[in-house]
Amino acid sequence: MRIIVADCSAEYSGRLTASLPPAKRVLLIKADNSLLIFSELGSYKPLNWMAAPCTIKEIVPDSDADADVTDTDVTGADGPADAVEPVAGKDASELTPIRLLRVAADKSSDILEVSIYHVYSDESYDLGEDPGLIKDGVEDHLQRYLAQQITRIGEGAKLVRREYPTAIGPVDIMATDADGVHVAIEIKRHGGIDGVEQLTRYCELLNRDPLLAPVRGIFAAQTITPQARVLAEDRGFTCLILDYDDMRGVEDDSLRLF
């Protein structure tokens, strides 16, 4: 990965046109040639970017040679050693770039061209192979723990199976309650109206099967929006809040008076 801190401006053309006036920014060039432009403020989202698949060329003005940026061509070049005047607020036409980064999308006519006026830092790092993000508390974990602790829906409940198949997709958990009534359980991390609609479709379909009917529904989530709760209860569903830490046996170490 190559990280450049530089005074620069940018022009994006193709399906849309966008420009960034001159300012000090961070350019991130990934191994797949993706280029992302970041500023000091804002969240994780870049100001502008070109995603792979794309081709990137580094151009030195007044030079006939266009250099493809590869793993062996990321050493960069130092800007002028003397003090540099801020470029923020200036028009790009008033400035002379010391190099250009031109990124062209492989599957469209989109082009992102970055004009660099001064380089403060230009470093490359081999990050190696990333193992990927390991998420805790995802819906699969909630489903597994609730299946193991099915009596959380009521004493006497029994698990029929996880991922109970239907013609419109699997129900997260199918169980029976103490009275032998089938219970369809839809599990979300954050329960919204869409989840209630999904449970509604499952229950309507399952109740057409005389071997299963009547089937009641439980909408289970770590959090449930007020609107989703109202809709679920209006349709006869039970709302169940899942405490993930409690389900996986993590003790609550918060201070309590009693």
Side-chain angles (χ1 to χ4, degrees), residues 163-172 186 198 201-202 205-206:
E163 300 291 332
Y164 188 88
T166 76
I168 57 174
V171 178
D172 288 334
E186 180 64 24
Q198 189 175 358
R201 292 192 294 270
Y202 287 142
L205 182 65
L206 292 168

Side-chain angles (χ1 to χ4, degrees), residues 53-236:
C54 58
T55 303
I56 183 169
K57 288 186 177 182
E58 185 167 344
I59 303 167
V60 178
D62 301 324
S63 171
D64 294 333
D66 288 1
D68 290 333
V69 176
T70 65
D71 291 339
T72 58
D73 184 23
V74 291
T75 55
D78 294 331
D82 55 333
V84 179
E85 295 183 6
V87 300
K90 293 186 177 180
D91 190 273
S93 61
E94 303 175 49
L95 302 167
T96 301
I98 60 173
R99 73 175 84 165
L100 301 173
L101 294 176
R102 182 174 293 155
V103 193
D106 289 352
K107 296 183 178 181
S108 70
S109 60
D110 290 16
I111 293 177
L112 173 62
E113 185 169 278
V114 181
S115 299
I116 298 176
Y117 309 108
H118 177 79
V119 177
Y120 298 92
S121 175
D122 188 345
E123 301 288 342
S124 297
Y125 303 91
D126 183 359
L127 302 184
E129 186 173 345
D130 193 284
L133 179 66
I134 300 175
K135 295 183 179 180
D136 191 22
V138 296
E139 290 176 15
D140 182 68
H141 296 161
L142 294 169
Q143 183 189 124
R144 184 174 70 250
Y145 284 127
L146 185 56
Q148 295 169 352
Q149 305 165 31
I150 196 62
T151 53
R152 286 181 178 270
I153 72 170
E155 291 296 328
K158 295 181 180 180
L159 175 69
V160 175
R161 67 167 290 177
R162 293 173 57 191
E163 300 291 332
Y164 188 88
T166 76
I168 57 174
V171 178
D172 288 334
I173 291 178
M174 178 67 80
T176 56
D177 62 19
D179 298 323
V181 175
H182 283 89
V183 183
I185 307 172
E186 180 64 24
I187 299 173
K188 300 293 183 184
R189 289 185 64 238
H190 305 295
I193 288 178
D194 288 347
V196 178
E197 295 289 359
Q198 189 175 358
L199 179 59
T200 301
R201 292 192 294 270
Y202 287 142
C203 286
E204 288 179 348
L205 182 65
L206 292 168
N207 274 304
R208 297 175 191 170
D209 187 339
L211 298 178
L212 297 176
V215 179
R216 66 184 182 91
I218 292 180
F219 188 52
Q222 289 180 281
T223 60
I224 298 176
T225 66
Q227 297 89 341
R229 181 179 290 275
V230 169
L231 181 61
E233 292 176 350
D234 182 68
R235 294 183 177 178

Side-chain angles (χ1 to χ4, degrees), residues 37-47:
I37 306 173
F38 294 92
S39 66
E40 179 73 24
L41 302 177
S43 186
Y44 63 90
K45 190 174 181 180
L47 297 169

Side-chain angles (χ1 to χ4, degrees), residues 5-44:
V5 181
D7 291 329
C8 65
S9 61
E11 295 288 337
Y12 193 105
S13 60
R15 289 169 294 180
L16 59 85
T17 300
S19 62
L20 289 172
K24 188 176 183 179
R25 301 187 178 94
V26 173
L27 309 177
L28 190 151
I29 302 173
K30 300 175 69 174
D32 60 4
N33 286 340
S34 299
L35 189 150
L36 302 91
I37 306 173
F38 294 92
S39 66
E40 179 73 24
L41 302 177
S43 186
Y44 63 90

